[in-house]
Amino acid sequence: MDFPFTGVIPIDKPPGTSSRRVVDIVARACGMRAVGHAGTLDPLAMGVVVVCVGHATKLVDYIHQLPKRYEAVFLLGRSSPSDDLETPVAEEQDARRPTYDEVLAALPPFRGNIMQRPCDYSAVHVNGQRAYALARKGRDIDLPHKAVRIDHLAATAYDWPRLSLDIECSTGTFIRALGRDVAATLQTQAVMESLVRTSIGPFGRDASLAMADIRTETVEATLLPAVAAVPHLPQVVLVGAELDAAVRGGLVAGPVTEGSPVAEHLAAVDGSGDMVGILKRHSSGAYRLRPNFRGVG
């Protein structure tokens, strides 16, 4: 199917609106239904939401592989069922007030690959239901820990009760849970007061389109090519008979680089630099387009 628009566009979402709302506004501006986002941002949060348009909606899973960066502010000595200000906040009686040095000492164990328990108020599925739906009914929730990666974690300001953290992490990390767990290490509690997603991979907030400015002409002017969504994948150019074979669903040979690991996924572009799709490694060692922007698959 041919789309009038194909590509990705970073949107700067304001607080108080959902990621779904952002998608709906972009879809109306494009006059298209094939629009989606790569990574939900809670209504209370603000910052970068990457919206995929046309064939680029097939790249959402690859965008999820990109790191996300956040600026978060937590209130120590407080707790809430949702770990933020969405639900009633209770102040801890005689709360322990850690020193700045203690805060700094608490952070290193949370860097790298860690196991994290998701928040009760989250979209995680529990026996076919969302955890937040069960939490709102007062049900006890047993959420297993999950593996996440914290590439960067630094305290940028601390003045009791506010603690500001700068975080770069993998998709699936719960920032509210990170603040909750850091506070527990400091023998206190925490709720998230504010959250700003400053970037997703190369998509920064400073180069994002404000939601209030979304119109057909601004989307067209700001839309980035689909290949911009996969900067972390090796790129291969397909031309001539090789391009024709790939588009028809055939196998094509991948690049051979001595001493380098074999890539499982490659970003395929044509001679003009337009994206053709993702080449996935076949059991034979060759590659096949999946997804294929121009043909089958």
Side-chain angles (χ1 to χ4, degrees), residues 23-243:
V23 168
D24 291 342
I25 294 174
V26 173
R28 281 201 299 273
C30 294
M32 295 170 55
R33 297 180 64 182
V35 180
H37 67 76
T40 299
L41 194 57
D42 289 344
L44 292 178
M46 61 192 299
V48 180
V49 174
V50 176
V51 176
C52 302
V53 180
H55 291 296
T57 55
K58 302 175 182 179
L59 302 177
V60 167
D61 288 345
Y62 295 95
I63 299 174
H64 281 322
Q65 297 170 8
L66 298 172
K68 295 178 170 66
R69 192 125 189 179
Y70 297 91
E71 294 174 355
V73 178
F74 296 92
L75 297 175
L76 300 183
R78 290 151 177 79
S79 65
S80 77
S82 60
D83 300 309
D84 61 13
L85 304 184
E86 182 184 352
T87 54
V89 175
E91 288 198 33
E92 187 179 4
Q93 295 298 314
D94 300 319
R96 184 176 184 274
R97 300 190 178 193
T99 66
Y100 184 56
D101 286 341
E102 288 176 321
V103 169
L104 296 181
L107 300 182
F110 293 96
R111 300 185 185 120
N113 296 314
I114 66 171
M115 298 299 293
Q116 182 186 72
R117 184 187 182 279
C119 301
D120 287 349
Y121 276 68
S122 67
V124 174
H125 280 96
V126 180
N127 297 324
Q129 297 187 63
R130 300 287 190 181
Y132 64 75
L134 297 174
R136 286 170 181 163
K137 296 176 182 177
R139 306 276 183 83
D140 290 331
I141 305 171
D142 183 18
L143 292 175
H145 286 64
K146 57 181 290 189
V148 298
R149 188 186 72 252
I150 310 295
D151 297 317
H152 174 81
L153 175 62
T156 56
Y158 177 51
D159 183 12
W160 174 269
R162 285 181 174 80
L163 170 63
S164 300
L165 297 179
D166 180 38
I167 305 152
E168 184 173 276
C169 57
S170 64
T171 292
T173 303
F174 284 89
I175 305 301
R176 287 173 289 149
L178 182 61
R180 174 199 69 197
D181 295 343
V182 168
T185 299
L186 295 168
Q187 301 174 47
T188 184
Q189 300 173 315
V191 296
M192 190 173 71
E193 182 181 42
S194 65
L195 180 67
V196 180
R197 184 192 282 162
T198 57
S199 67
I200 299 177
F203 306 108
R205 193 177 178 209
D206 56 347
S208 297
L209 179 65
M211 195 175 94
D213 294 335
I214 297 174
R215 297 183 297 278
T216 302
E217 59 271 22
T218 57
V219 168
E220 188 171 6
T222 314
L223 194 69
L224 299 170
V227 72
V230 288
H232 55 303
L233 297 184
Q235 194 174 118
V236 61
V237 179
L238 300 178
V239 294
E242 191 174 38
L243 174 59

